[in-house]
Amino acid sequence: MPDLVRDVRVRFAPSPTGPLHIGGVRTALYNYLFARKTGGKMLLRIEDTDQNRFVPGAESYIIEALNWVGIQIDEGQTANGPLGPDAPYRQSERREIYQREALRLVEEGKAYYAFDTADELDAMRKRLEEANAPAAQYNAITRLQMRNALTMPAADVKARIEGGEPHVIRLKTPRKEEVRLNDIVRGWVNVHSSAIDDKVLLKSDGLPTYHLANVVDDHLMNISHVIRGEEWLPSAPLHVLLYRYLGWEATMPQFAHLPLLLKPEGNGKLSKRDADLGGFPIFPLQWTDPFSGTVARGFREDGYLPEALVNFLSLLGWNPGTEQELFGMDELIEAFDLEKIHKGGARFDIEKADWFNQQYLRQRPDAELAPAVQTQATAAGLDCPPEKAEAVVRLLKERVSFARDIFPEAHTIFYAPNTYDEAIRAAKWNDDARKAVTVFRDALLTYDGPFEADAIKHLLADTLTAAGIKQGKIMQAMRLALTGSGVGPDLMLSMQIMGKEGVVARLENALAKL
């Protein structure tokens, strides 16, 4: 194919057969990054020609998932209907287009009608398997033994079609021909036509198969690059052959087949079962099956931030060639390069996803995370005004990976201790510790200044200095008295959130119990 200078137009073309797999999100992301990097356009096309597998709600789920992760569609199917000059973007609404092209291939001798029943096809495959044939497929040799337009009189074929007998249209694959394509990720791919069977192009219900529909649509929508998963690589030579037969090879898009997402242990393709066993989601959003009512977890509902998920997915199969790990969307667009995509599969390390979430959680404003703390506190029967919730977030958000974990981590802030760490008590609770807690309590009883972290810090330091106590030796005991533990977040900010009366009560309780 000659090199062409053309506007970049890419497409993401999922099937509405259920929730969008996280691998599909990565495919959409790479398409989006490439389109934005090159000033091109991204289309969303719904490939719903397999009506037997259609699932209600799946299309709207896909659109919502893309919106959540920040992938903006320029043309295609949207929540408000089709957007762009090539509508419709649902393949089920384009059947006349596919039928026209399939019939043209028949008329030009590049495809043919076939009337074989399911039982006849099964019998053919069984015969080939018993004969130890290299492949049990409908091809240039076996088609001459089947019921199709190549073995039947033209008048008989015409009569059967006019009589409404079920039939399909199959591609007439050449017997001895080399099919080549230069994949951006894989390099040159060469396949002999004898390895390509006579695929069905148009099914008996009048709808196309994926192979015909995606080639016709990519041509008519002027798609410049097809960026899709590795599982479609075996079909690519067939698609090249279709472009050739349809007369569109000169404007055929460039292909880039992305590496697989692998199980966490790195062995085999990532599946929902792997996610269930590993205790993590495999879909971007929570999904409720409309038939069974089964609920599948989603990254959004599990507390992952969209920018963290995007950053994580971007590095599963692509590397910028630098040590940088944190990329906002604009930075990803600037750095992205199709030629830096790996050939080998990428291990799905959910712990790395958690780490990314932690990094982006730290960047979120405290006020944005505070409502989650308020909701959990209210559910626990606690009073937690916005300013207190924000202070809790500020205290703890660098210690957690998810917003949902902030309130549980704040247990010692909301609840005075009933028990005390025995190891810390044995090692640190001594006369100096008891004296320090006592004088600090007394100082708080007469203190009428602002009860803020900095002021508390100075009050404690001045009180201990006046009492001749070294602060470094009693701080773990002071924390023990206030929280029941020897470790935890910033103690001064913790006391600010507890409030003066709360701190005094805890110190008095510790003096009585310890």
Side-chain angles (χ1 to χ4, degrees), residues 373-390:
V373 174
Q374 283 184 278
T375 299
Q376 289 174 286
T378 301
L382 300 171
D383 181 42
C384 185
E387 60 273 14
K388 183 173 183 178
E390 286 187 39

Side-chain angles (χ1 to χ4, degrees), residues 9 11-14 16 42-48 59 73-78 81-94 97-98 217 220-221 223:
R9 288 172 62 82
R11 54 42 166 202
F12 179 55
M42 178 166 176
L43 287 71
L44 175 63
R45 192 171 68 221
I46 304 299
E47 302 205 337
D48 60 346
E59 179 185 306
I73 300 303
D74 300 302
E75 297 178 22
Q77 196 65 27
T78 73
L83 172 67
D86 295 313
Y89 294 96
R90 291 193 189 106
Q91 289 188 333
S92 60
E93 299 171 5
R94 298 169 61 83
I97 299 172
Y98 311 128
D217 284 345
L220 295 180
M221 295 177 186
I223 299 302

Side-chain angles (χ1 to χ4, degrees), residues 285-300:
L285 314 179
Q286 182 175 289
W287 167 261
T288 302
D289 188 281
F291 305 115
S292 67
T294 302
V295 177
R297 294 165 59 178
F299 276 90
R300 180 178 66 182

